Every structure is written in C-alpha cells, then in structure tokens.
Amino acid sequence: MIPEGERANMDSIEKAAWALRNADAILIGAGAGMGVDSGLPDFRGKEGFWRAYPAIAKLGKSFAEMANPEWFRTDPRLAWAFYGHRLNIYRRTSPHAGFAQLLKLGAGKPHGYFVYTSNVDGHFQRADFALDRVFECHGSIHHFQCAIPCGNQIWDATDESVSVDETAFRADDPLPKCRACGGLARPNILMFGDGQWNINRAQSQQVYFGRWLTALTTARARLVVVELGAGTAVPSVRHASEEMIDRLGAKLIRINPREPEVPPGQIGIAQGAAETIDRICRALAEIAD
C-alpha cells in the first residue's frame, strides 16, 4: 500500500510534468536546499549550522551572527575562516545531476529560462547555465570587493585563495586584499545588517531578469516557476516565485521537503530537489511516449 504522503507526491509530480510540458518559459527559483543534494552543508537552524562548523558552535554564534560584515572589521581572520572555508567547499563540490536536467528543460522552451537564486555558491554557472540568465539576489562568493568599501570595484576571485586552519578556525595570512586600495577584501555577498555590500553586479543581473520578464509579458508566454529548496527563514526566493503568479499568471511548482505549502491552485511537493527533478523528468518522458 502506498503511503498517503507518497501518493500525494506522485499526483503532484504528474501535475508538474504536464505544467512543464505546456510551458513556454521556466523560471528556476533556488534556495539552500538545492545545494544540499550536491553535498553542501545544511545550515538549517543553529544545530545544522553548528554540525557544519563545530568551532563556531563553541562560540555559540548562529549563522546570522557569523554572516555579518562587522567581523571583517573586528576579527578578519575569523571572518575569512568562515567565508574561506565555504569558498573552498563550493569550489570542490560538483553540482548534482538535477542542474543539467533543469538546464535541458529550460533550454528547450520557446522563451528559455532564467534562474533566480539566493545561493552564493556559483553552481548554476558551474553547471553551464548562461551567465546572462542567472540572477544571484544575494551575490556570489566567487566575486570579491573591498571591505570598506573604497569604491565600486568587484572582481572575479578565481585566482584568489584562502587557507584556513581548521583546528583553530582561523584564516592564514595573507588575507585577500582589495585590488584598488590594498586594504582587506571580502566576498561580494549580501550579509545580515550589511551596509557595505556592493550591489552593482547583482543590479546588472537584475536588469537582464527584468528584460526577460518584459519579453514574456509582451508575448503572453506561459511561465512555470520551479522553486527548489527555498525556505521561509530567508524568504527572498519564495517571495519572487509567488510574485510571478500575480504578475504573469505563472504556475508554481514548489519543491521542499519541509515547507512545501503553496498558494491555492499551485503545486507543492514534499521531497528533495535532485530526486524530484529526476522524477518529473521521467514523468515528462512518459508523457512524450
């Protein structure tokens, strides 16, 4: 006998497959749960964060308390231990198969796809999504800026490296330097209580996103939003997804094992991202046959 929850997921997956089959365009909304299936740490709650960072557990600091630009002023080696460790993890972790499956789905639509993500890991670019089709609303750890900041310069951090003493949880010297003034650099990421974030790169991405949405409106395109692993704790992606329902009459497919609730008439699937993408793609193949 199929459990009731699984039966509901099966029905929702079939509905999602039909919605995607008939879509003219796909908006992919991605939160932290998308990266968890690639093996990235789950920072959900203090316990999840502390499991990933035992050294920070000893300090009793939450993710919100650590993800604060003030550390770059008061304790830069701790700040760069936190962000340098994350940078190194994101660099050595590969995007899961669901990224490629979503790219294939989106690229096959008349009006293509766009990605709206709060993730800073750069995995959509790693998975070959077009650079002008990704809006990283909280920035990217793969780009640096001045910590002061001294100006508007943002640079690609491909050639930058951060060595971290895992036991002491301190970044080793030399710490990343601003390419303009020589002072301390920081990731080009929107942090909590952040008045120093350089928004120029994100704003440029947002311009492309706005043009895409305008083109969809003009063409009266049928938009489907596939939202993956976006929670309510930092609801940037969820808000953007639901805005599309009112703005463009979009159909929302929300994939979230813990918080799958959706507005009336939309599709919620209580499952992880990678598994659900694969199940939807298999359902699409069956429809095509």
Side-chain angles (χ1 to χ4, degrees):
M1 185 175 180
I2 301 174
E4 185 176 344
E6 175 57 18
R7 188 182 301 278
N9 278 345
M10 289 171 64
D11 292 342
S12 295
I13 285 168
E14 184 175 359
K15 290 176 183 177
W18 278 104
L20 285 166
R21 182 180 186 272
N22 296 323
D24 297 317
I26 299 174
L27 173 62
I28 300 162
M34 184 67 171
V36 168
D37 285 341
S38 297
L40 297 178
D42 183 358
F43 294 154
R44 182 181 173 86
K46 280 189 177 181
E47 291 74 19
F49 179 54
W50 288 345
R51 278 194 298 272
Y53 291 101
I56 296 177
K58 295 177 182 177
L59 299 175
K61 301 294 184 183
S62 67
F63 177 82
E65 289 171 316
M66 284 306 306
N68 189 304
E70 186 67 10
W71 292 110
F72 286 94
R73 185 181 69 84
T74 61
D75 195 344
R77 290 185 66 195
L78 175 61
W80 268 116
F82 177 52
Y83 282 103
H85 183 262
R86 291 174 65 191
L87 173 64
N88 295 333
I89 287 177
Y90 297 158
R91 281 175 169 172
R92 65 174 179 256
T93 304
S94 298
H96 60 74
F99 283 84
Q101 290 173 306
L102 284 174
L103 178 58
K104 184 177 180 180
L105 277 176
K109 296 302 178 183
H111 292 276
Y113 65 86
F114 217 101
V115 175
Y116 186 106
T117 181
S118 59
N119 296 340
V120 300
D121 54 35
H123 275 199
F124 281 99
Q125 291 90 336
R126 287 267 303 279
D128 294 329
F129 283 75
L131 297 182
D132 62 354
R133 287 293 178 268
V134 180
F135 178 19
E136 295 160 302
C137 65
H138 292 171
S140 168
I141 202 167
H142 302 289
H143 291 78
F144 290 176
Q145 65 167 82
C146 182
I148 297 173
C150 69
N152 291 322
Q153 186 174 359
I154 300 170
W155 62 94
D156 187 309
T158 300
D159 296 330
E160 301 274 5
S161 62
V162 182
S163 175
V164 178
D165 182 330
E166 300 286 347
T167 303
F169 203 67
R170 310 287 289 175
D172 300 323
D173 290 326
L175 300 179
K177 301 295 183 184
C178 173
R179 295 189 176 180
C181 72
L184 186 69
R186 53 162 273 187
N188 182 231
I189 291 173
L190 176 61
M191 303 176 195
F192 291 90
D194 197 348
Q196 291 81 47
W197 183 44
N198 186 333
I199 64 173
N200 287 355
R201 182 172 176 273
Q203 281 187 329
S204 297
Q205 294 178 333
Q206 189 173 22
V207 168
Y208 286 115
F209 182 47
R211 289 173 181 168
W212 185 71
L213 293 178
T214 298
L216 296 188
T217 303
T218 301
R220 296 184 179 181
R222 293 168 294 185
L223 175 65
V224 171
V225 181
V226 181
E227 183 194 282
L228 308 114
T232 57
V234 182
S236 308
V237 174
R238 287 175 83 101
H239 286 170
S241 298
E242 292 180 12
E243 181 188 350
M244 296 300 109
I245 299 172
D246 297 328
R247 182 172 176 179
L248 291 170
K251 174 66 74 173
L252 169 62
I253 303 168
R254 173 166 286 155
I255 300 166
N256 191 308
R258 300 186 184 97
E259 299 176 299
E261 297 79 16
V262 290
Q266 309 307 316
I267 303 168
I269 304 174
Q271 235 175 228
E275 179 185 1
T276 306
I277 296 166
D278 186 62
R279 291 181 69 178
I280 290 173
C281 287
R282 285 189 278 115
L284 274 166
E286 290 177 4
I287 291 171
D289 291 341

